[in-house]
Amino acid sequence: MKRLAVLTSGGDAPGMNAAIRAVVRMGVARGFKVFGVRRGYTGLIAGEFVPLGPRDVGGIMERGGTMLGTTRCAEFKSEVGQNEALRQLRSYDIARLVVIGGNGSQAGSHALSCKGLGVVGVASTIDNDLVGSDATIGAATAIDVALESVDRLRVTASSLGRVFLVEVMGRECGYLATLIGIASGAEVIVTPEVPAEPEEIAMDIHAAYERGKSHAITIVAEGAKYNAEALAQYFQAHQARLGFDLRVCRLGHVQRGGAPGVADRMLATRLGAAAVEHFDAGHDGVLLGIIDGKVTGTPLAEVIHRKRLLDTSLLELARALAQ
């Protein structure tokens, strides 16, 4: 019987479980014996394989995170780690691997693919910064979770007439910050792609008050030149001159923890099923994502050497709408 394995790697993302479910059930339907790998590449090196059937993945689609667990594995970046992972796969007679994860995870996919393993990547990261997909698993839910928090903070900001600096995740990509900022009506959005100095941000906040607003929300991407902590320190040091009171809220990992919404469940299901279909058709060495509404495979070599760019026209839209 044909065999394949599936693992989740890197940061967890809402929808990973739906992708696992789709890989397992489509795999069984196409005549594969499917194994799950616990703890990502760490478990791959350690040989932590578990057989999975349709009933083993029942009731997981609505759960956030990943039933298989995930890690960031420094050992896998070495030749020794990669060769041991291949040895473990061969010991189970597994020649195909589905890797559900983001940039670092797909770099691992590429390394294994270059060594002759059949690998298909599935685009999954809340940061939505992968080349090869217009949307990645987890991003939509992370935005919804953050948006609810910002809406709640605005109630307090309005009541007290304060400035709130809200830091959101996204690493070096401002996608989350931009969409959360637009959807929440934030007065200021700060991203890594468009660096802003503290004085510029202070001027934008003052301009909001001058337009008659009673409060201001500033959404700050964690990877910005000045993150929320750095901005808070600057504003505190110059509070007498700047003349406004502010509070800082770092949403952090709470963004990862939501139950996946319909968009992420559907995206994960389509990509997980497509991974098995690619193997069944004799194709591998690609990252699967959605481009223009269609499941598309992008060679892993192209994915790992490029970064998906933020559409900065969205920031121009946000500035216009904040008036």
Side-chain angles (χ1 to χ4, degrees), residues 37 113 118 124 155 169 177 187 202 231 255 291 316:
V37 183
S113 179
S124 175
V155 174
M169 300 184 82
E187 282 66 38
L231 288 173
Q255 292 172 257
I291 298 178
E316 297 170 9

Side-chain angles (χ1 to χ4, degrees), residues 241-296:
R241 175 173 60 83
L242 295 176
F244 52 74
D245 188 20
L246 63 82
R247 295 291 185 273
V248 175
C249 178
R250 298 181 64 187
L251 296 184
H253 288 81
V254 69
Q255 292 172 257
R256 296 190 187 277
V262 63
D264 280 322
R265 295 187 199 192
M266 284 301 303
L267 176 60
T269 298
R270 291 180 68 188
L271 296 183
V276 176
E277 292 170 345
H278 266 63
F279 282 135
D280 212 20
H283 303 311
D284 57 55
V286 297
L287 172 78
L288 294 182
I290 298 291
I291 298 178
D292 295 332
K294 297 180 180 179
V295 175
T296 304

